[in-house]
Amino acid sequence: MAFYSDDLIEEVRSRNDIVDVISGYVRLQKKGSSYFGLCPFHNEKTPSFSVTPAKQMFYCFGCGAGGNVLTFVMKYENFTFQEAMQSLADRAGIDLPKQEMSAEQRQRADRRAKLLEVNKEAARYFYALLRSPQGTRAMAYFQKRELTAQTMRHFGLGYADRFSNDLYQYLKKQGYPDDLLKDSGLVTIDEKRGGYDKFWNRAMFPIMDANHRVIGFGGRVLGDGEPKYLNSPETVIFDKSRNLYGLNFARASRRQGILLCEGYMDVIALHQAGFDNAVASLGTAFTSGHASLLKRYTKEVFLTFDSDGAGIRAALRAIPILKAAGLSARVIDMKPYKDPDEFIKALGPEEYQKRIDSAENSFLFEIRMLESEYDLGDPEGKTAFFRRVSERLLEFREPLERENYIEAITRRYQIGFEQLRSMVNRAGTREGIVAGERPPGTGGQEKKKKEAGVRQAERLLLTWLAEDPSLFEKIGDFVGPEDFTEEICRQAADALFEQYAKGDVNPARIVSRFPDEEQQREVAGMFQTPIRPPDSGRDRQKALNETVRSVKLGSIEYRSKHLDPTDIAGLQRLIEDRKRLAKLHISID
């Protein structure tokens, strides 16, 4: 983001009206001073996605997505900041400065572009071969799998000829040198044999990155050859651990969550059945890189792996990786069928949707799989099982969440709630996890409730100030940006007060100051805190006074807690603030 000056970023943002831009993606209807529509970032039936022209910001009250026009384009199109800037600059007719690259950087960029070009050319060739007389066998394979012509076209499916140097000869005729073809992973160059193809006599699946660029291939052998499936090797443009098959389509899906499959055909079958949110790893185990990639597009992942032992083991490996990335995981039961392709062919999309709706919580799935390691008919085995379960329950560090799972386990296995809870607490004491925790309803929860109240008041005040800058003068004697206790909230307040001092309150510009997408989302939410319209001016005045009082009290308590005992000046400021707060009265007349 630092490559462009703040003034240039603001020029691009301000020259692209947010309502005009978002209207090209979402159908909006005006309600009062804002526009509303169905959120493009999660599945909903009632519009909760708002666009506010006055603030030049969007916010979804359902999923919390929010930001300015740059944020929207980045999120919707999966663009980098530079790509979003270029797109919006082109739209507004603004020329952006070209980034100066070193000779080495330019060489690397040129090499990547050439490799993408080679892969694209290979994909076109495979695509054409499938639809030629040579591709009859591969076409028969795809048709046997009940793929329509539209689906085959959508995924760019193709065929690699039975001659082992067919693609090599074709690409050489197109003028590509051996060293480039070797680096593409499509061709092996041997001193004795010359050039020969990585893929031959295979049904071909182009692999695309999130921006629809062909970066590699998967090929299924036609006949009894080995291996059955073959993937491109790792190259400059193809990293198996950071790409997912079908993500280029799934990222734009409006369905709930993302379906994580094991193979290409499962993804294609699901998309053909209408489940366009399906993806699969690329012939490798699921990694943290895959999880980080998924987190950019969803909060919830449905595991739809094969129902055999290998599929169960793959699910058990993927679940902790997804959890570590902060994603919620659920497991779809496809029995009595092996995989999504078989299931949909047998029972259809409606039944598959029912399986999605009833997908099992990933932790409860793990516990159910744990059962097989114990003899629950034997008292000793049953005790050992619950001892292990109690240790697993300690993974939930939040007491309320842990108790919710204890309750779910007791319902499933007919064990007393207090019995299991006692086992968990004993295990936690040994691990040093639950010792010293306050029981529900005591001071710990009261403190959290109070902190949440201050946090909400800070956000509410920022929203009011952004919507009505005349309030700055009215609250100036009582509260300032230094009174916002949360770091990111204080940064937003600093920027807003600074803008007011310069006579230009512009919350959309503040969002652009934050490089991280999660921070942009949070800051956008600070200026979109839901406000119930007061019944009268007196009610509004009362609400404003209470909000300022809450913010200031939070500030005083925070500073008191962190005050150095030797800081006499700081202590005097606290005393003065308490006196001033006792006289708080803000009139909005």
Side-chain angles (χ1 to χ4, degrees), residues 247-284:
L247 185 63
N248 53 313
F249 300 125
R251 73 181 184 88
S253 173
R254 299 299 173 258
R255 283 186 170 272
Q256 176 188 359
I258 281 183
L259 302 170
L260 182 59
C261 311
E262 285 193 76
Y264 303 139
M265 283 305 305
D266 289 331
V267 171
I268 295 172
L270 283 169
H271 279 248
Q272 181 169 280
F275 300 96
D276 60 354
N277 55 333
V279 302
S281 56
L282 300 163
T284 183

Side-chain angles (χ1 to χ4, degrees), residues 265-561:
M265 283 305 305
D266 289 331
V267 171
I268 295 172
L270 283 169
H271 279 248
Q272 181 169 280
F275 300 96
D276 60 354
N277 55 333
V279 302
S281 56
L282 300 163
T284 183
F286 189 76
T287 68
S288 58
H290 292 136
S292 298
L293 185 61
L294 286 175
K295 192 177 181 182
R296 296 173 64 180
Y297 306 101
T298 188
K299 293 180 179 178
E300 189 172 29
V301 175
F302 294 87
L303 298 174
T304 180
F305 291 170
D306 291 359
S307 57
D308 59 12
I312 289 170
R313 289 191 294 274
L316 290 172
R317 285 193 299 269
I319 288 168
I321 296 172
L322 290 165
K323 286 182 178 177
L327 290 163
S328 167
R330 303 185 75 83
V331 182
I332 297 173
D333 178 17
M334 286 174 296
K335 291 179 180 176
Y337 299 99
K338 181 188 176 186
D339 54 41
D341 187 19
E342 282 187 12
F343 185 101
I344 287 174
K345 283 183 173 66
L347 299 180
E350 294 79 10
E351 287 300 316
Y352 187 76
Q353 181 61 54
K354 290 179 184 177
R355 295 293 177 99
I356 294 175
D357 296 338
S358 60
E360 188 175 15
N361 174 283
S362 61
F363 180 79
L364 297 180
F365 170 79
E366 290 176 301
I367 297 301
R368 185 161 60 83
M369 295 302 105
L370 195 61
E371 284 181 50
S372 61
E373 300 178 22
Y374 298 88
D375 180 4
L376 299 190
D378 173 62
E380 188 175 337
K382 193 171 185 179
T383 301
F385 170 70
F386 283 117
R387 190 176 292 123
R388 180 79 180 278
V389 170
S390 67
E391 292 169 355
R392 289 295 311 274
L393 284 162
L394 292 173
E395 294 172 11
F396 303 102
R397 296 304 175 106
E398 178 63 44
L400 178 61
E401 185 180 20
R402 188 163 63 238
E403 298 223 340
N404 287 338
Y405 275 97
I406 292 174
E407 186 179 352
I409 295 292
T410 58
R411 282 198 306 268
R412 176 176 284 190
Y413 294 99
Q414 284 93 49
I415 181 177
F417 178 84
E418 290 301 330
Q419 289 176 298
L420 183 57
R421 186 185 190 192
S422 178
M423 286 186 75
V424 173
N425 286 340
R426 284 198 300 274
T429 301
R430 288 195 301 272
E431 297 292 330
I433 294 173
V434 298
E437 283 183 354
R438 295 174 180 265
T442 57
Q445 288 192 342
E446 288 300 316
K447 181 182 177 184
K448 286 185 178 180
K449 186 176 179 181
K450 191 172 184 179
E451 289 174 350
V454 173
R455 186 171 180 268
Q456 178 71 4
E458 290 181 356
R459 282 154 171 72
L460 187 58
L461 185 56
L462 285 177
T463 298
W464 267 331
L465 291 171
E467 293 187 348
D468 184 2
S470 69
L471 295 177
F472 278 94
E473 285 188 19
K474 302 181 186 299
I475 70 164
D477 290 339
F478 301 100
V479 69
E482 69 280 358
D483 292 308
F484 291 76
T485 55
E486 189 182 6
E487 178 62 28
I488 191 169
C489 205
R490 183 164 57 253
Q491 290 178 35
D494 272 331
L496 194 68
F497 276 76
E498 181 185 330
Q499 286 181 344
Y500 172 72
K502 294 178 179 178
D504 179 25
V505 173
N506 185 343
R509 184 170 190 170
I510 294 173
V511 173
S512 295
R513 289 190 176 195
F514 294 84
D516 181 71
E517 183 180 333
E518 200 59 39
Q519 289 179 319
Q520 291 177 352
R521 171 191 177 117
E522 190 170 355
V523 172
M526 293 175 191
F527 297 115
Q528 301 282 353
T529 306
I531 304 172
R532 183 174 62 84
D535 297 328
S536 66
R538 181 176 295 179
D539 289 340
R540 185 167 180 262
Q541 180 170 293
K542 180 182 177 183
L544 179 62
N545 276 269
E546 289 175 352
T547 300
V548 171
R549 185 183 304 278
S550 181
V551 172
K552 194 66 179 183
L553 275 174
S555 170
I556 291 171
E557 289 187 12
Y558 179 86
R559 285 183 286 144
S560 296
K561 184 179 178 180

